């Protein structure tokens, strides 16, 4: 670029009538001159300063100074900070909300320039809680990304409102965990008060602990925190941690903790763990094995209800059979029969159905087999299954239902999905009233 063109650029900028735009244009020219190693960049910035002094509108003066400071900062000129200070001095006399608005512009610009400490200096003067906390959270993320944990902690102390404090705490915890600074993570964790965010934090803890392959003793520290908090938070915090650890495959450790809990809490957490690992049949089997008696039956019932709702999958056959072998509960056996029937394993289903003692539930068990056989158009097999209910009342009822379905199949070509259990309950109520 010929030298006279530089001078021409400066002269042409002087023709810009709008004082704000003229000041900003001079600053841009100064920046590009600097990049081109043209010493006239100093003259361009000087003209920008002079143009700012001619602006009469105070908010425009501040905006112009922010732009000028931005281009000065890009040239790494030390006077940039003084320009931003000048903008702040003018802003201090502004009324709200324009003061907070322009302070927000200043802080964001400083963040873009990676002048984070300067941004922190100005952000604390913003009076609007939402705007200040939003910007503090942005600063926190920058400090965390840079690994400046002391500064991050300072920001966290200034985030006094929710949900910013909890969001900031969780992001700080994540960074401490990545750095394997577990003691620091625990200190931040103890400051969380919201049950919702505590649960979220514990899920993050569970994920990172597994990834880091830390010793079990470290798990124990977090479990002890959760147990201490759970007295007032209804064990939800501990539940979040254990569910997260179970989903990460640490079931043996989780089972050990479950065995330390009161029975009612143990079962609630076991339900949530089962939902979290529902796609992992081997983990579900271990979970069932970890409980005894009524607790195991309750969990087994919960698991089968969810598996039935999801639809049959052959990979759950061993688990279903194991549940059937471990229980003498008629209602649970009916669910086992229903699942095996849906898999088409009628031989095993009949074996478990034959163990059902009550006539009402026995009719449901063999009814499941009969209905599934009809779905496969095995009419003789469906009738044989219905005849296995030897009680006169319930046997008659089931045979009536199956015959109706046979006719339905013949006339409509398909069997409607119906709730056999609901119809049986209605029939039982009818007989009891009669």
């Amino acid at each position: 670029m010929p030298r006279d063109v530089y001078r021409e650029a400066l002269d042409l900028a002087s023709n810009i009538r709008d004082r704000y735009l003229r000041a900003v244009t001079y600053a841009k020219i100064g920046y590009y001159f600097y990049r081109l190693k043209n010493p006239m960049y100093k003259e361009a910035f000087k003209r920008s300063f002079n143009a700012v002094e001619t602006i009469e509108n105070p908010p425009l003066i501040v905006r112009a100074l922010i732009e000028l400071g931005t281009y000065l900062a890009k040239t790494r000129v030390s006077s940039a900070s003084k320009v931003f200070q000048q903008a702040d001095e003018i802003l201090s006399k502004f009324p709200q909300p324009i003061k907070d608005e322009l302070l927000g512009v200043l802080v964001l610009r400083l963040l873009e320039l990676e002048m984070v400490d300067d941004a922190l200096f100005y952000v604390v003067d913003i009076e609007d809680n939402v705007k200040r906390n939003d910007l503090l959270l942005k600063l926190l993320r920058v400090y965390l990304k840079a690994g400046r944990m002391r500064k991050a902690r300072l920001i966290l102390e200034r985030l006094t409102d929710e949900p910013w404090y909890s969001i900031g705490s969780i992001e700080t915890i994540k960074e401490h965990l990545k750095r394997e600074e577990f003691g620091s993570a625990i200190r931040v964790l103890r400051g969380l008060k919201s049950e919702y965010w505590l649960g979220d934090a514990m899920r993050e803890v569970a994920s990172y602990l597994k990834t880091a392959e830390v010793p079990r003793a470290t798990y124990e520290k977090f479990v002890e925190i959760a147990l201490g908090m759970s007295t007032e938070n209804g064990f939800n915090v501990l539940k979040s941690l254990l569910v997260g650890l179970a989903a990460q495959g640490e079931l043996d450790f989780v089972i050990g903790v479950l065995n330390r809990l009161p029975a009612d809490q143990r079962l609630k957490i076991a339900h949530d763990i089962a939902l979290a690992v529902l796609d992992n049949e081997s983990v579900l089997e271990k979970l069932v094995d970890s409980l005894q008696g009524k607790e195991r039956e309750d969990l087994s019932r919960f698991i089968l209800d969810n598996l039935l709702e999801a639809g049959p999958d052959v990979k759950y056959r061993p688990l279903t059979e194991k549940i059937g072998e471990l229980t003498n509960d008629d209602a649970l056996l009916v669910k086992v029969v229903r699942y095996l029937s849906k898999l088409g394993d009628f031989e095993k289903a009949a074996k478990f159905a034959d163990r059902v003692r009550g006539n009402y539930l026995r009719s449901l068990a063999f009814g499941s087999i009969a209905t599934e056989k009809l779905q496969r158009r095995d009419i003789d097999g469906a009738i044989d299954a219905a005849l296995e209910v030897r009680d006169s009342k319930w046997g008659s009822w089931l045979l009536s239902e199956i015959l109706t379905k046979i006719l339905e199949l013949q006339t409509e070509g398909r069997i409607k999905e119906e709730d056999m259990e609901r119809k049986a309950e209605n029939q039982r109520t009818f007989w009891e009233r009669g």
Side-chain angles (χ1 to χ4, degrees):
M1 186 175 184
R3 186 173 179 83
D4 59 348
V5 177
Y6 294 124
R7 174 62 61 181
E8 185 179 345
L10 284 173
D11 292 341
L12 286 172
S14 66
N15 293 322
I16 298 174
R17 294 184 180 182
D18 185 287
R19 297 171 184 179
Y20 167 78
L21 290 176
R22 185 163 70 245
V24 173
T25 303
Y26 276 133
K28 289 178 180 178
I29 291 172
Y31 168 65
Y32 286 111
F33 278 7
Y34 174 84
R35 288 185 60 184
L36 292 166
K37 295 184 171 57
N38 188 306
M40 290 181 66
Y41 76 90
K42 294 180 181 179
E43 173 66 19
F45 280 123
K46 182 179 178 181
R47 293 193 183 192
S48 180
F49 273 110
N50 292 336
V52 170
E53 290 177 353
T54 67
I55 299 173
E56 297 176 353
N57 182 304
L60 278 182
I61 294 174
V62 171
R63 289 185 181 275
L65 286 171
I66 291 173
E67 293 298 325
L68 174 54
T70 296
Y71 287 106
L72 281 170
K74 288 181 178 181
T75 64
R76 306 193 185 285
V77 175
S78 59
S79 58
S81 293
K82 292 181 180 179
V83 174
F84 291 129
Q85 288 172 15
Q86 185 180 346
D88 180 57
E89 287 170 7
I90 299 172
L91 271 175
S92 65
K93 302 179 179 65
F94 281 15
Q96 295 292 9
I98 186 66
K99 178 183 176 182
D100 278 356
E101 180 187 336
L102 290 176
L103 269 174
V105 172
L106 173 58
V107 169
L108 287 173
R109 186 60 57 85
L110 289 167
L111 281 175
E112 290 172 11
L113 294 167
E114 297 182 356
M115 299 172 66
V116 192
D117 292 341
D118 293 74
L120 176 58
F121 178 81
Y122 294 116
V123 75
V124 295
D125 290 333
I126 296 177
E127 296 176 20
D128 182 89
N129 281 349
V130 173
K131 188 181 292 293
R132 184 180 64 256
N133 281 298
D134 279 345
L135 290 170
L136 281 170
L137 200 54
K138 288 180 184 293
L139 264 69
L140 175 68
R141 288 167 177 152
V142 173
Y143 282 128
L144 289 175
K145 187 176 180 180
R148 300 178 64 184
M149 303 309 290
R150 287 188 179 181
K151 282 286 189 180
R153 190 59 191 264
L154 178 64
I155 297 285
L156 198 57
E157 290 170 359
R158 293 183 177 277
L159 287 170
T160 55
D161 300 311
E162 292 291 354
W164 297 277
Y165 175 75
S166 292
I167 294 171
S169 294
I170 289 176
E171 298 199 15
T172 304
I173 289 168
K174 286 182 186 179
E175 188 58 35
H176 280 309
L177 290 171
K178 285 180 185 177
R179 299 159 66 94
E180 297 192 10
E181 298 168 348
F182 300 117
S184 298
I186 288 170
R187 282 194 293 275
V188 178
L189 189 64
R190 290 187 188 280
L192 281 167
K193 299 295 187 293
S194 163
E195 183 176 312
Y196 171 82
W197 292 108
L198 273 168
D200 202 45
M202 281 302 188
R203 281 187 286 274
E204 292 293 339
V205 167
S207 175
Y208 278 106
L209 287 182
K210 177 61 178 176
T211 304
E213 297 181 356
V214 299
R216 290 289 175 86
T218 305
Y219 290 160
E220 280 289 352
K221 289 179 182 177
F222 284 98
V223 167
E224 292 303 324
I225 293 172
L227 283 170
M229 295 175 175
S230 294
T231 53
E232 60 184 76
N233 289 318
F235 280 79
N236 284 331
V237 173
L238 180 63
K239 177 182 71 178
S240 295
L241 177 60
L242 294 183
V243 167
L245 287 173
Q248 294 293 328
E250 290 291 337
L251 195 64
D252 290 339
F253 175 80
V254 168
I255 289 170
V257 177
L258 284 177
N259 290 333
R260 292 157 54 186
L261 302 178
D264 59 332
Q265 298 296 342
R266 180 163 58 242
L267 196 55
K268 288 177 184 177
I269 293 177
H271 280 190
D272 285 313
I273 291 173
L275 283 178
V277 299
L278 199 62
D279 62 338
N280 191 323
E281 68 280 8
S282 62
V283 175
L284 286 175
E285 190 170 340
K286 282 186 179 180
L287 192 59
V288 169
D289 283 339
S290 71
L291 301 177
Q292 300 294 324
K294 290 184 178 179
E295 288 181 18
R296 182 164 62 196
E297 290 184 348
D298 184 289
L299 178 64
S300 297
R301 189 176 297 110
F302 178 80
I303 289 172
L304 281 176
D305 281 342
N306 281 279
L307 291 180
L308 283 164
E309 185 176 342
D313 190 322
V314 70
K315 75 176 184 178
Y316 296 106
R317 178 184 286 153
L319 171 64
T320 306
E321 290 181 27
K322 183 166 191 174
I323 289 173
E325 289 163 0
L326 290 172
T327 187
N328 290 314
D329 182 83
D330 283 354
L332 185 52
L333 284 169
V334 169
K335 294 183 186 297
V336 170
V337 171
R338 185 174 300 155
Y339 199 81
L340 291 173
S341 296
K342 286 184 176 296
L343 290 175
D345 192 343
F346 297 117
E347 184 178 345
K348 289 279 177 62
K351 183 188 80 170
F352 288 113
D354 202 45
R355 287 176 49 199
V356 178
R357 294 154 296 183
N359 292 320
Y360 160 65
L361 291 172
R362 188 178 177 87
S363 69
L364 287 179
F366 280 104
S368 293
I369 296 173
T371 301
E372 289 302 323
K373 284 192 171 186
L374 272 184
Q375 296 282 19
R376 291 164 171 77
R377 297 183 178 271
D378 181 1
I379 294 174
D380 291 339
I383 293 172
D384 288 342
L387 293 174
E388 287 294 323
V389 181
R390 298 180 181 89
D391 176 78
S392 59
K393 276 189 174 182
W394 284 108
S396 299
W397 173 81
L398 182 56
L399 185 57
S400 172
E401 287 293 320
I402 295 305
L403 289 174
T404 302
K405 287 185 179 296
I406 290 171
L407 294 174
E408 180 182 296
L409 182 65
Q410 296 299 315
T411 56
E412 299 185 20
R414 63 185 180 88
I415 297 174
K416 294 178 183 176
E417 287 291 332
E418 290 183 336
D419 186 352
M420 182 75 77
E421 191 170 340
R422 177 184 56 79
K423 295 180 75 174
E425 181 60 31
N426 289 340
Q427 186 63 41
R428 184 168 66 171
T429 302
F430 173 74
W431 280 333
E432 286 175 353
R433 288 177 178 172

Short mmCIF file of all heavy atoms in Angstrom, two decimals, residues 105-131:
data_model
loop_
_atom_site.label_atom_id
_atom_site.label_comp_id
_atom_site.label_asym_id
_atom_site.label_seq_id
_atom_site.Cartn_x
_atom_site.Cartn_y
_atom_site.Cartn_z
N VAL A 105 -21.73 -3.84 28.90
CA VAL A 105 -21.02 -3.78 27.61
C VAL A 105 -19.51 -3.75 27.85
O VAL A 105 -18.74 -4.45 27.18
CB VAL A 105 -21.46 -2.53 26.82
CG1 VAL A 105 -20.59 -2.35 25.57
CG2 VAL A 105 -22.94 -2.65 26.43
N LEU A 106 -19.09 -2.95 28.84
CA LEU A 106 -17.67 -2.84 29.15
C LEU A 106 -17.09 -4.18 29.61
O LEU A 106 -16.02 -4.61 29.14
CB LEU A 106 -17.47 -1.77 30.22
CG LEU A 106 -16.05 -1.62 30.80
CD1 LEU A 106 -15.06 -1.30 29.68
CD2 LEU A 106 -16.02 -0.52 31.87
N VAL A 107 -17.81 -4.86 30.50
CA VAL A 107 -17.33 -6.13 31.04
C VAL A 107 -17.22 -7.18 29.92
O VAL A 107 -16.22 -7.91 29.83
CB VAL A 107 -18.25 -6.63 32.17
CG1 VAL A 107 -17.92 -8.08 32.55
CG2 VAL A 107 -18.13 -5.72 33.38
N LEU A 108 -18.24 -7.27 29.08
CA LEU A 108 -18.21 -8.24 27.98
C LEU A 108 -17.06 -7.97 27.02
O LEU A 108 -16.41 -8.89 26.53
CB LEU A 108 -19.55 -8.24 27.23
CG LEU A 108 -20.72 -8.89 27.96
CD1 LEU A 108 -22.03 -8.66 27.20
CD2 LEU A 108 -20.49 -10.38 28.14
N ARG A 109 -16.81 -6.69 26.76
CA ARG A 109 -15.72 -6.35 25.86
C ARG A 109 -14.37 -6.74 26.48
O ARG A 109 -13.48 -7.26 25.79
CB ARG A 109 -15.75 -4.84 25.56
CG ARG A 109 -14.73 -4.42 24.51
CD ARG A 109 -14.96 -5.14 23.18
NE ARG A 109 -16.30 -4.93 22.66
CZ ARG A 109 -16.66 -3.88 21.92
NH1 ARG A 109 -15.77 -2.95 21.61
NH2 ARG A 109 -17.90 -3.78 21.48
N LEU A 110 -14.23 -6.53 27.78
CA LEU A 110 -12.99 -6.92 28.45
C LEU A 110 -12.81 -8.43 28.44
O LEU A 110 -11.68 -8.93 28.31
CB LEU A 110 -12.99 -6.39 29.89
CG LEU A 110 -12.83 -4.88 30.03
CD1 LEU A 110 -13.16 -4.43 31.44
CD2 LEU A 110 -11.42 -4.44 29.65
N LEU A 111 -13.90 -9.16 28.55
CA LEU A 111 -13.82 -10.62 28.46
C LEU A 111 -13.37 -11.05 27.07
O LEU A 111 -12.57 -11.98 26.92
CB LEU A 111 -15.18 -11.25 28.80
CG LEU A 111 -15.52 -11.35 30.29
CD1 LEU A 111 -16.94 -11.88 30.46
CD2 LEU A 111 -14.53 -12.26 31.01
N GLU A 112 -13.91 -10.39 26.04
CA GLU A 112 -13.50 -10.70 24.67
C GLU A 112 -12.01 -10.46 24.47
O GLU A 112 -11.33 -11.17 23.73
CB GLU A 112 -14.30 -9.85 23.68
CG GLU A 112 -15.77 -10.23 23.58
CD GLU A 112 -16.56 -9.24 22.73
OE1 GLU A 112 -15.92 -8.39 22.08
OE2 GLU A 112 -17.80 -9.30 22.74
N LEU A 113 -11.51 -9.44 25.16
CA LEU A 113 -10.08 -9.09 25.04
C LEU A 113 -9.21 -9.92 25.98
O LEU A 113 -8.00 -9.72 26.04
CB LEU A 113 -9.89 -7.60 25.37
CG LEU A 113 -10.52 -6.61 24.39
CD1 LEU A 113 -10.54 -5.21 24.97
CD2 LEU A 113 -9.76 -6.63 23.06
N GLU A 114 -9.86 -10.82 26.73
CA GLU A 114 -9.18 -11.68 27.72
C GLU A 114 -8.52 -10.87 28.83
O GLU A 114 -7.52 -11.28 29.43
CB GLU A 114 -8.14 -12.58 27.02
CG GLU A 114 -8.78 -13.54 26.03
CD GLU A 114 -7.77 -14.47 25.37
OE1 GLU A 114 -6.56 -14.33 25.63
OE2 GLU A 114 -8.21 -15.35 24.61
N MET A 115 -9.11 -9.71 29.10
CA MET A 115 -8.67 -8.88 30.23
C MET A 115 -9.59 -9.20 31.41
O MET A 115 -10.39 -8.37 31.85
CB MET A 115 -8.72 -7.40 29.85
CG MET A 115 -7.80 -7.06 28.68
SD MET A 115 -7.99 -5.35 28.06
CE MET A 115 -7.42 -4.39 29.47
N VAL A 116 -9.48 -10.42 31.89
CA VAL A 116 -10.46 -10.96 32.84
C VAL A 116 -10.38 -10.25 34.19
O VAL A 116 -11.41 -9.96 34.81
CB VAL A 116 -10.26 -12.48 33.02
CG1 VAL A 116 -11.44 -13.07 33.77
CG2 VAL A 116 -10.09 -13.16 31.68
N ASP A 117 -9.18 -9.98 34.67
CA ASP A 117 -9.05 -9.30 35.96
C ASP A 117 -9.67 -7.91 35.92
O ASP A 117 -10.31 -7.47 36.89
CB ASP A 117 -7.58 -9.21 36.37
CG ASP A 117 -6.99 -10.58 36.70
OD1 ASP A 117 -7.77 -11.52 36.95
OD2 ASP A 117 -5.75 -10.72 36.69
N ASP A 118 -9.49 -7.22 34.80
CA ASP A 118 -10.13 -5.90 34.64
C ASP A 118 -11.64 -6.05 34.65
O ASP A 118 -12.37 -5.25 35.25
CB ASP A 118 -9.68 -5.25 33.33
CG ASP A 118 -8.21 -4.89 33.35
OD1 ASP A 118 -7.37 -5.80 33.25
OD2 ASP A 118 -7.90 -3.70 33.47
N ALA A 119 -12.14 -7.08 33.96
CA ALA A 119 -13.59 -7.32 33.91
C ALA A 119 -14.14 -7.56 35.32
O ALA A 119 -15.21 -7.05 35.67
CB ALA A 119 -13.88 -8.53 33.01
N LEU A 120 -13.41 -8.31 36.12
CA LEU A 120 -13.84 -8.58 37.51
C LEU A 120 -13.91 -7.28 38.31
O LEU A 120 -14.82 -7.08 39.11
CB LEU A 120 -12.87 -9.56 38.17
CG LEU A 120 -13.12 -9.87 39.65
CD1 LEU A 120 -14.52 -10.42 39.86
CD2 LEU A 120 -12.07 -10.83 40.17
N PHE A 121 -12.97 -6.38 38.06
CA PHE A 121 -12.94 -5.11 38.78
C PHE A 121 -14.21 -4.30 38.54
O PHE A 121 -14.76 -3.68 39.45
CB PHE A 121 -11.70 -4.31 38.34
CG PHE A 121 -11.58 -2.97 38.98
CD1 PHE A 121 -11.07 -2.83 40.27
CD2 PHE A 121 -11.98 -1.82 38.30
CE1 PHE A 121 -10.97 -1.58 40.88
CE2 PHE A 121 -11.89 -0.57 38.90
CZ PHE A 121 -11.38 -0.45 40.19
N TYR A 122 -14.69 -4.33 37.28
CA TYR A 122 -15.85 -3.50 36.94
C TYR A 122 -17.19 -4.20 37.21
O TYR A 122 -18.19 -3.55 37.50
CB TYR A 122 -15.79 -3.09 35.47
CG TYR A 122 -14.63 -2.17 35.16
CD1 TYR A 122 -13.61 -2.57 34.30
CD2 TYR A 122 -14.55 -0.90 35.73
CE1 TYR A 122 -12.54 -1.73 34.02
CE2 TYR A 122 -13.48 -0.06 35.46
CZ TYR A 122 -12.47 -0.48 34.60
OH TYR A 122 -11.42 0.35 34.34
N VAL A 123 -17.23 -5.52 37.12
CA VAL A 123 -18.51 -6.22 37.21
C VAL A 123 -19.15 -6.08 38.59
O VAL A 123 -20.38 -6.10 38.71
CB VAL A 123 -18.33 -7.73 36.84
CG1 VAL A 123 -17.67 -8.50 37.97
CG2 VAL A 123 -19.67 -8.36 36.49
N VAL A 124 -18.34 -5.93 39.62
CA VAL A 124 -18.91 -5.85 40.98
C VAL A 124 -19.70 -4.57 41.18
O VAL A 124 -20.48 -4.46 42.15
CB VAL A 124 -17.79 -5.96 42.03
CG1 VAL A 124 -17.14 -7.34 41.99
CG2 VAL A 124 -16.75 -4.86 41.87
N ASP A 125 -19.54 -3.59 40.30
CA ASP A 125 -20.29 -2.33 40.44
C ASP A 125 -21.67 -2.40 39.81
O ASP A 125 -22.47 -1.46 39.94
CB ASP A 125 -19.50 -1.18 39.79
CG ASP A 125 -18.25 -0.83 40.57
OD1 ASP A 125 -18.25 -1.06 41.80
OD2 ASP A 125 -17.28 -0.34 39.97
N ILE A 126 -21.98 -3.50 39.11
CA ILE A 126 -23.30 -3.64 38.50
C ILE A 126 -24.33 -3.92 39.59
O ILE A 126 -24.16 -4.85 40.39
CB ILE A 126 -23.30 -4.76 37.44
CG1 ILE A 126 -22.36 -4.38 36.29
CG2 ILE A 126 -24.70 -5.03 36.93
CD1 ILE A 126 -22.22 -5.45 35.22
N GLU A 127 -25.37 -3.12 39.65
CA GLU A 127 -26.36 -3.24 40.72
C GLU A 127 -27.42 -4.29 40.44
O GLU A 127 -27.92 -4.94 41.36
CB GLU A 127 -27.02 -1.88 40.97
CG GLU A 127 -26.04 -0.81 41.47
CD GLU A 127 -26.69 0.55 41.62
OE1 GLU A 127 -27.95 0.61 41.70
OE2 GLU A 127 -25.97 1.56 41.65
N ASP A 128 -27.79 -4.47 39.19
CA ASP A 128 -28.83 -5.44 38.85
C ASP A 128 -28.33 -6.86 39.12
O ASP A 128 -27.33 -7.30 38.56
CB ASP A 128 -29.21 -5.29 37.37
CG ASP A 128 -30.33 -6.24 36.98
OD1 ASP A 128 -31.50 -5.87 37.11
OD2 ASP A 128 -30.01 -7.37 36.56
N ASN A 129 -29.04 -7.58 40.02
CA ASN A 129 -28.60 -8.92 40.44
C ASN A 129 -28.46 -9.89 39.28
O ASN A 129 -27.49 -10.64 39.19
CB ASN A 129 -29.56 -9.50 41.48
CG ASN A 129 -29.33 -8.93 42.86
OD1 ASN A 129 -28.33 -8.25 43.09
ND2 ASN A 129 -30.24 -9.19 43.78
N VAL A 130 -29.47 -9.91 38.42
CA VAL A 130 -29.47 -10.87 37.31
C VAL A 130 -28.29 -10.60 36.39
O VAL A 130 -27.52 -11.51 36.03
CB VAL A 130 -30.80 -10.81 36.53
CG1 VAL A 130 -30.72 -11.68 35.28
CG2 VAL A 130 -31.95 -11.26 37.42
N LYS A 131 -28.13 -9.34 35.97
CA LYS A 131 -27.04 -8.98 35.05
C LYS A 131 -25.68 -9.25 35.70
O LYS A 131 -24.77 -9.81 35.06
CB LYS A 131 -27.17 -7.50 34.66
CG LYS A 131 -26.20 -7.08 33.56
CD LYS A 131 -26.37 -5.60 33.25
CE LYS A 131 -27.69 -5.29 32.59
NZ LYS A 131 -27.80 -5.87 31.23
#
